[in-house]
Amino acid sequence: NAGVMQNPRHLVRRRGQEARLRCSPMKGHSHVYWYRQLPEEGLKFMVYLQKENIIDESGMPKERFSAEFPKEGPSILRIQQVVRGDSAAYFCASSRDRGLFSNQPQHFGDGTRLSIL
Amino acid sequence: DQQVKQNSPSLSVQEGRISILNCDYTNSMFDYFLWYKKYPAEGPTFLISISSIKDKNEDGRFTVFLNKSAKHLSLHIVPSQPGDSAVYFCAASNSGYALNFGKGTSLLVTP
C-alpha cells in the first residue's frame, strides 16, 4: 500500500465533534476515491474526486459529510457532528486515470479508523 | 442491496494445495471485476482483474475465472502459501470507477 498516504491512522471523536480525514494520492495520480468499511462489511463507495472537482458523490450520506480535493494539498473527507454510527474504517484510493484497467487499478491507503465515543 | 456476495466467510487450505475463493453478483451491468487482498490494519492490495469480455485471466499463481451466465467468478491460488493468509475481497464495477465490494473471505493457509 505504499504511495497512498492517509492520516491520521486512528481518530477518536466525541459525539457532535467534527472529524477530518486526509488523503494524499500516489505520485502522478489525480483521481481520488473514498470508501467506508463498517464492521463485518465490505467497502462501500462514497465519493470520487478529481482536482477541484467532485465527479460522483452518490455514495455519500446527504447530511454532515463532505469531501474536497483542492488544487494544492491532500483530499479531505469531513464529517460534521459525528454520531456513533460513523465509527468505521475510511479508505482512500487513487488512480492515474479514470477507468478501471488492469495496469492501473485503484491503489488503496491503509485507512483511518474512526471511533466515536 | 448487496450486489456482490461472498458466501464463505472463511476458508482453510493446506500449504501447496489449491485455494478457490468464490464470488457471486446480481447486477448484470457489471463489466469489470477485481480481487483485492487485505491484511489486518492495512488497505486492500490489488491482486488481479478481469473484463467481462473475457472468461479467464492468469497472473502467476493467481487465476480468475468469470462465468457471466451464472454471474459468478472465482479466484484460484495455486500453490497456496502461508503468506497468502489474508482476507480476499471480490469487487465489481459498471461505472468505470466505483467499486462494489463483497464482505470478504478470510483465507488461512496452514503449513
Side-chain angles (χ1 to χ4, degrees), chain A residues 1 9 33 35 37 40-45 48 55-56 91 98-103 105-111 113, chain B residues 1-2 32 34 36 38-46 49 57 89 92-93 95-104:
Chain A
N1 298 318
R9 291 295 310 275
Y33 317 83
Y35 291 82
Q37 185 183 24
E40 309 300 323
E41 297 287 324
L43 283 74
K44 295 273 195 287
F45 168 78
Y48 164 32
I55 307 301
D56 182 350
F91 291 95
R98 175 175 175 157
L100 293 165
F101 304 101
S102 59
N103 61 339
Q106 293 177 17
H107 295 270
F108 283 81
D110 286 341
R113 271 100 188 137
Chain B
D1 63 337
Q2 189 75 22
Y32 205 81
L34 307 90
Y36 280 84
K38 185 180 181 302
Y39 293 116
E42 293 186 9
T45 301
F46 171 73
S49 63
N57 189 25
F89 289 96
S93 178
S95 65
Y97 52 84
L99 298 177
N100 296 270
F101 282 84
K103 293 186 178 183

Side-chain angles (χ1 to χ4, degrees), chain A:
Chain A
N1 298 318
V4 179
M5 303 302 295
Q6 290 189 248
N7 68 82
R9 291 295 310 275
H10 301 273
L11 182 61
V12 179
R13 285 286 178 267
R14 296 190 179 279
R15 280 178 294 171
Q17 292 184 319
E18 177 179 290
R20 281 186 178 237
L21 288 63
R22 295 175 192 78
C23 170
S24 295
M26 281 181 71
K27 188 176 181 180
H29 287 193
S30 59
H31 299 251
V32 166
Y33 317 83
W34 285 92
Y35 291 82
R36 177 166 69 173
Q37 185 183 24
L38 296 170
E40 309 300 323
E41 297 287 324
L43 283 74
K44 295 273 195 287
F45 168 78
M46 298 180 75
V47 61
Y48 164 32
L49 309 105
Q50 282 184 268
K51 286 283 187 182
E52 300 184 278
N53 286 305
I54 297 174
I55 307 301
D56 182 350
E57 56 181 349
S58 59
M60 291 270 274
K62 295 287 184 282
E63 298 177 349
R64 303 186 297 107
F65 285 71
S66 61
E68 62 176 7
F69 189 15
K71 187 176 179 182
E72 301 291 337
S75 175
I76 306 286
L77 179 67
R78 182 183 177 204
I79 311 172
Q80 294 179 289
Q81 299 172 354
V82 295
V83 300
R84 288 251 169 89
D86 297 333
S87 295
Y90 292 82
F91 291 95
C92 168
S94 72
S95 64
R96 189 182 66 214
D97 298 305
R98 175 175 175 157
L100 293 165
F101 304 101
S102 59
N103 61 339
Q104 49 169 326
Q106 293 177 17
H107 295 270
F108 283 81
D110 286 341
T112 294
R113 271 100 188 137
L114 175 64
S115 298
I116 309 302
L117 302 180

